Structures are given as structure tokens and as C-alpha cells.
Amino acid sequence: MRAQWVESRRGLANVTQMHFARQGVVTQEMQHVAGREGLPAELVRSEVARGRMIIPANLNHPELEPMAIGIAAKCKINANIGNSQIVSDVEGELTKLRGCLKHGADTVMDLSTGGDIPHIRDVLLRHSTVPLGTVPTYEAIERVKRVEELTARDLLDIVEEQAKQGVDYMTIHAGILRDFLPLAQHRITGIVSRGGALMAQWMMAKGLENPWYTHFDDLCEIFKAYDVSFSLGDSLRPGCLADASDEAQFAELRVLGELTRRAWEHDVQVMIEGPGHVPMDQIEMNMKIEQEVCHEAPFYVLGPLATDIAPGYDHITSAIGAALAGWHGASMLCYVTPAEHLSLPNAEDVHQGIIAYKIAAHAADVARQRSGARDRDDALSRARYAFDWREQFRLSLDPEAAQAKHDETLPHDAFKTAEFCAMCGPKFCSMKVHTHLLEKDLPEVTERADAQLVADSLAFARRAAIPRTGSVAQPSPVALGRKASPAGAAGAAAALAKAE
């Protein structure tokens, strides 16, 4: 898609979307994002120039379909894939990537830590139509026997190699400083970020400051030559509820705010990574502090998990926190899978994680009252009321799962037009009862509730009810007495009788 767009930019000293936006240029990527988001192109340009929106789009990733991360755009989700030193399989990671694209991940991170990491990454890039992110520290560690063997030059070389391949954004753990390490000693879970723990190990072994921090301007020079976006890593994020919102977390966040300004001086795009385990009552506060300290750069949060007691179900515990985070200002949600804290995710874990986070992100968009965010909900609800089962499946976040669940009990095609499901059957379906209320001659009304109670209740309702919005701002009246097609009703009845 982008091959022709980027040709004229090759050889320029700075090719970032922020650089062009600050020159008043609306790039093809910005135009495309505007169309996807339903936003004016000038608004997209101004948000990118301001730093509140990023368009991760490496010059060397022409397969990419541009997307945006920022408060003015829809809430996005990221899916992490990648092998480990225990399990290394290129085809397995490609299968995961295809699942990510199928089920709607907005970006993907390759967190591979074993095998031929550059080859795995290249295969994923050439097949990915969404931005691909990495954590360069992982490949750096894989190349040496001991972490202290690494030099700053080694780290920068790996970053440039990945940038040349086409990586769109990189997690850089530049905010964890030597003086912050004692702040994590009181914690239950210490430092849970892999990149953060490895940088802590390097600093302790070398007696030096974090090389990502001391060489940050060198990183910016590489990033602006290829248009790589920073995903500034939260090395000291909390790994359990008890460790949330402590001094270690916020000391690092303050440094990330300073690094954001430094990156912007180079016109390099930035987003900030956020905490992983946070009690629900602290989530809004965390979102607001990030916006203030990091100058409204997009916030990219892992979860956060709202409880620590559900291994095997952490896609659920984290989606609860993610929905709240998105509502209160997070721009992208990093998914968590059922395998979190337990094992390397397989393809089905990836599937479950993506769907949980698509739900969370969509719920956040609805809560933020984004224009048109609820249209799909309204359309599915209309299909539900009309017993249009196939349209319900089509509009679902996971159509195959929705139909499979329906067909577990009513698999016959006739039931795709039936006015009931297996939960209530034909006699107890509330919506069926409602649609047929006026089909019979009704007797004269001879009894009513207390008139004062009715009047008080209607007056209370007028005061308390929220005005209808979106596609139902001016609703047509519900059509009582609508009948199903005779063929559909008869076919469903016959199939039900046969099933019984």
C-alpha cells in the first residue's frame, strides 16, 4: 500500500510523521488515518504535530496499512506474540500473526527471545499489515553470554538493524535509573518488566547509568531516519496490586515525561507504556497522572489487571481494568492472554486475549461517547429483536464463536429464522412475547395502578432518564405485532419437534 508513498522520502534526514505534520504537511498516511477514523485530515495532522497522536509507520514497512494511536482516535489494542528460548517456531508465530490480523489486533509486538530472532521478525514484518513493535533489549541479551558484556554500541547497532528491517515502534526501557533501584526493594514482586530487570542487572554489574538513557539522543537520530516510534517502557511497573502506584513507578514516569520532550525535539513520535496491576479505584488516577507528567503523549497500558487471584483467566481480570483505563484516557490497550503468568501463549490464547481486549476497547469508546461508537451495538440489538440470527453473528466481534455457541443446541438451518433460542424456547422468549402483544383483540382496561404512583414514577423517569443518542436519537416506534415469515416459523417448529 505504501511503497509509492514513501519513495520520495528516502534519503531525507527526518522522515517521521511528526516532522511532516509540524511542517504543515498532511501525508498520505494521515489522509488514510483520517478516513479510517472518520476525522478531518487537518485534525489528524495537528494531533500528530502536538504529540497526542502517533502513526507508527516505518519507511521500510510498505506492507503496513496506516493506523493511529491517540486520544482523538478510537481505542486500540495490541497483541504480543513471539517465541521463547524454550519454544522456537517461525510457523507457529506466523500462525499467531494471522490470528491477530483475523480477529482485529491493531498492532502486534514480536517479543521473541530465542532462535533466529531477525529471521522471525522479518517473516512477521513481510506478512503484517499492522504496525509491528519489538523490545530490542531481548535480542541484545540473546547475543551475549552475560548481560554485562553488552555495550551501548551493541544496543544501538541492534536498534538500527531492526529499524532497517521495518520495525514500526520499539519499547525502550530508558526511564529506569540507578537511583530508582532501591525503590523496588520493598515490593512483593520487585521488578517484573523483563527489559527493566535486565537493565537493572546491567547497571549493577557495570556501575554505570542506564545506557538507553545516556544514549537517548543517539536513539532519536536512528528513529527519525526510519520513522520508528518510541514506546517508552515502564520498567518499574507494578507486578501485583500491592505494588501499584508506588514511588518506583512514579519516579520512572517522571523521567519518561522528560524523555518525551527530548524525543519531540527531534520530531520523533512517542507513546508511554503504563502499569500492569492496579486496583480499580486507582486506575483513573494513573491515567490522569500520565497525561499530566508525559504532556498528553498517548498512553499504552498493559491491562491493568484488577485482581491477582485468577491465573488462567487473566485475560478477564485485565480486560476489566483495560476498559476502565480506556474510558479514562488510555489510547491503546496491550492484551493479556489466559496464559499470562503461566506459559507461552498459543494460537487459541492469542485469540481469547484479542477478543477480550476488543470488548474492552469498544466499551471504552462507547463510554467516551465517540461519534458512531455505539452504531454496531444498535445494529446488533435491532437484529436480535428481529430474530435475525445471521445478522447477529455477522455483527459479533467473533462471528464464528457466536454461531458455534448458538448451534450447539439448535444447529438446524431452520433455527436461523426462529423467534427463540435454546435459553427460553418458543414460549418464554420475552422479545417474542413483546412483538406479538397486539396480535389479538384486547379486552377493555378495567384496572390500573394507583394514579399518583404512576404520575410520580413518570415524573421521576423524565428527570432521571438520559437522552437517547446516536442511531436512536429519534427512534421510530417499536412495531408491535410483527409476525415472522410463515415458512421460517413453520420450519423452526418442525425442526424443534424433530429434535424433541
Side-chain angles (χ1 to χ4, degrees):
M1 160 177 250
R2 299 175 59 234
Q4 293 182 333
W5 298 356
V6 302
E7 277 308 307
S8 63
R9 303 174 201 164
R10 296 192 182 280
L12 299 178
N14 194 325
V15 297
T16 72
Q17 293 295 312
M18 175 176 268
H19 182 66
F20 291 119
R22 288 180 167 181
Q23 292 181 324
V25 176
V26 176
T27 64
Q28 293 97 326
E29 287 86 353
M30 295 175 205
Q31 288 279 9
H32 188 80
V33 163
R36 291 185 70 174
E37 296 286 346
L39 297 172
E42 175 56 26
L43 175 63
V44 172
R45 186 206 63 78
S46 65
E47 288 293 291
V48 172
R50 168 65 178 76
R52 277 193 298 246
M53 177 184 289
I54 69 169
I55 301 174
N58 188 311
L59 206 67
N60 292 332
H61 190 185
E63 300 88 351
L64 174 73
E65 180 178 352
M67 53 79 71
I69 302 165
I71 197 63
K74 300 181 189 75
C75 189
K76 302 304 192 298
I77 73 161
N78 170 71
N80 291 334
I81 60 175
N83 70 3
S84 73
Q85 290 185 318
I86 306 301
V87 179
S88 181
D89 180 0
V90 176
E91 283 305 314
E93 296 312 311
L94 194 54
T95 297
K96 292 179 190 177
L97 173 64
R98 291 183 180 122
C100 291
L101 300 179
K102 174 182 177 181
H103 295 296
D106 297 297
T107 78
V108 172
M109 290 198 77
D110 173 21
L111 305 185
S112 292
T113 57
D116 190 346
I117 296 176
H119 174 63
I120 293 171
R121 186 171 56 247
D122 188 61
V123 170
L124 294 178
L125 278 166
R126 304 290 72 87
H127 288 83
S128 180
T129 55
V130 301
L132 186 110
T134 63
V135 183
T137 301
Y138 296 170
E139 183 175 356
I141 295 297
E142 176 64 12
R143 293 188 183 186
V144 297
K145 291 183 178 180
R146 296 184 302 170
V147 66
E148 55 266 32
E149 294 175 12
L150 279 175
T151 67
R153 185 72 259 164
D154 294 332
L155 294 171
L156 293 171
D157 287 345
I158 287 172
V159 164
E160 182 138 30
E161 289 173 20
Q162 294 192 7
K164 286 181 179 178
Q165 271 189 306
V167 171
D168 301 291
Y169 66 94
M170 298 184 197
T171 294
I172 302 295
H173 296 91
I176 180 172
L177 305 181
R178 281 185 57 86
D179 290 335
F180 299 165
L181 300 184
L183 298 177
Q185 294 306 305
H186 71 284
R187 288 176 160 187
I188 290 178
T189 55
I191 299 176
V192 297
S193 160
R194 290 192 297 196
L198 291 166
M199 282 299 101
Q201 183 182 0
W202 188 93
M203 287 187 284
M204 295 295 289
K206 302 282 281 188
L208 298 173
E209 188 53 88
N210 183 343
W212 292 127
Y213 178 80
T214 57
H215 290 74
F216 192 77
D217 289 322
D218 295 325
L219 283 169
C220 291
E221 291 296 328
I222 297 171
F223 278 30
K224 70 185 183 185
Y226 299 92
D227 197 4
V228 178
S229 298
F230 276 109
S231 183
L232 291 177
D234 51 343
S235 311
L236 293 171
R237 67 174 180 266
C240 63
L241 299 186
D243 296 342
S245 307
D246 67 354
E247 292 182 17
Q249 176 188 330
F250 289 137
E252 179 184 34
L253 187 66
R254 175 63 181 80
V255 175
L256 298 186
E258 186 242 340
L259 294 175
T260 297
R261 283 196 180 278
R262 285 174 58 185
W264 286 350
E265 290 173 2
H266 293 267
D267 291 350
V268 173
Q269 302 184 97
V270 180
M271 61 181 169
I272 309 296
E273 295 188 11
H277 295 242
V278 181
M280 288 172 60
D281 61 299
Q282 298 177 24
I283 291 174
E284 180 180 8
M285 174 269 289
N286 271 266
M287 301 304 108
K288 302 307 179 189
I289 286 179
E290 184 277 339
Q291 292 169 22
E292 177 184 347
V293 173
C294 296
H295 322 293
E296 299 182 281
F299 206 13
Y300 164 33
V301 297
L302 177 66
L305 281 72
T307 180
D308 297 329
I309 62 171
Y313 297 92
D314 279 335
H315 59 312
I316 298 173
T317 66
S318 62
I320 294 168
L324 290 171
W327 176 23
H328 292 299
S331 297
M332 186 159 75
L333 313 174
C334 183
Y335 87 164
V336 174
T337 76
E340 185 76 6
H341 304 112
L342 301 172
S343 68
L344 185 72
N346 59 30
E348 181 55 23
D349 292 324
V350 169
H351 174 200
Q352 292 297 322
I354 290 174
I355 297 301
Y357 273 69
K358 292 293 284 186
I359 295 168
H362 180 72
D365 283 337
V366 172
R368 293 186 66 86
Q369 301 179 34
R370 297 190 189 279
S371 178
R374 210 191 62 223
D375 289 353
R376 184 170 174 180
D377 301 76
D378 295 349
L380 193 148
S381 296
R382 289 189 174 96
R384 180 172 289 149
Y385 190 73
F387 298 100
D388 188 342
W389 295 102
R390 295 192 189 282
E391 183 67 355
Q392 288 184 65
F393 303 151
R394 188 186 72 81
L395 290 167
S396 299
L397 284 175
D398 192 345
E400 294 173 5
Q403 180 164 350
K405 181 58 64 177
H406 174 273
D407 290 357
E408 283 180 6
T409 49
L410 297 174
H412 196 284
D413 276 350
F415 291 117
K416 302 301 186 294
T417 56
E419 291 188 312
F420 58 86
C421 70
M423 175 67 186
C424 297
K427 186 175 181 180
F428 290 95
C429 177
S430 58
M431 287 190 287
K432 178 182 178 182
V433 171
H434 188 232
T435 59
H436 293 280
L437 282 178
L438 297 184
E439 285 187 356
K440 297 180 180 179
D441 294 331
L442 301 177
E444 181 181 351
V445 177
T446 59
E447 183 178 31
R448 290 184 181 276
D450 177 75
Q452 188 60 51
L453 174 63
V454 171
D456 290 346
S457 299
L458 291 175
F460 169 75
R462 285 191 292 271
R463 293 193 305 271
I466 296 174
R468 292 167 70 85
T469 59
S471 70
V472 295
Q474 295 180 333
S476 56
V478 173
L480 301 181
R482 181 199 56 76
K483 295 181 179 180
S485 65
L496 184 62
K498 183 177 181 181
E500 292 174 342

